[in-house]
Amino acid sequence: TKKRFSLAVEELVASRNGVTYIDAAVKIITDRGLDYSALKRLLTPSLKQKIEDEAVGLNLLKNKKRGNKLPI
């Protein structure tokens, strides 16, 4: 379920230093033998936002919501 998946991702990120939300979600999907297309229905809104923020920080997505960010 969404809640169990979200908790598993949060626990993995918290327990291992340096693991990103994207990496944790991929690891859990592969460990459980699920298809990557199942990820969309397993994401809670808060987890989706965290992954989106992480992707914007890694320049994988464009930042739609905020203005330009200075590297300070």
Side-chain angles (χ1 to χ4, degrees):
T1 63
K2 284 184 174 190
K3 189 173 185 175
R4 283 191 344 188
F5 180 77
S6 180
L7 285 174
V9 170
E10 293 284 351
E11 288 174 3
L12 186 60
V13 169
S15 67
R16 294 189 181 171
N17 194 16
V19 173
T20 64
Y21 286 97
I22 296 170
D23 293 337
V26 169
K27 179 171 177 23
I28 291 169
I29 287 285
T30 55
D31 287 351
R32 294 183 181 178
L34 299 172
D35 188 25
Y36 289 107
S37 61
L39 185 61
K40 183 176 181 179
R41 66 179 172 81
L42 291 173
L43 291 177
T44 60
S46 64
L47 185 58
K48 185 178 180 181
Q49 184 62 48
K50 289 176 184 178
I51 290 175
E52 187 176 318
D53 291 343
E54 193 174 88
V56 167
L58 295 171
N59 291 325
L60 298 174
L61 291 175
K62 286 188 176 184
N63 193 356
K64 298 177 191 173
K65 298 175 185 171
R66 300 174 193 106
N68 292 336
K69 186 176 176 183
L70 293 174
I72 296 176

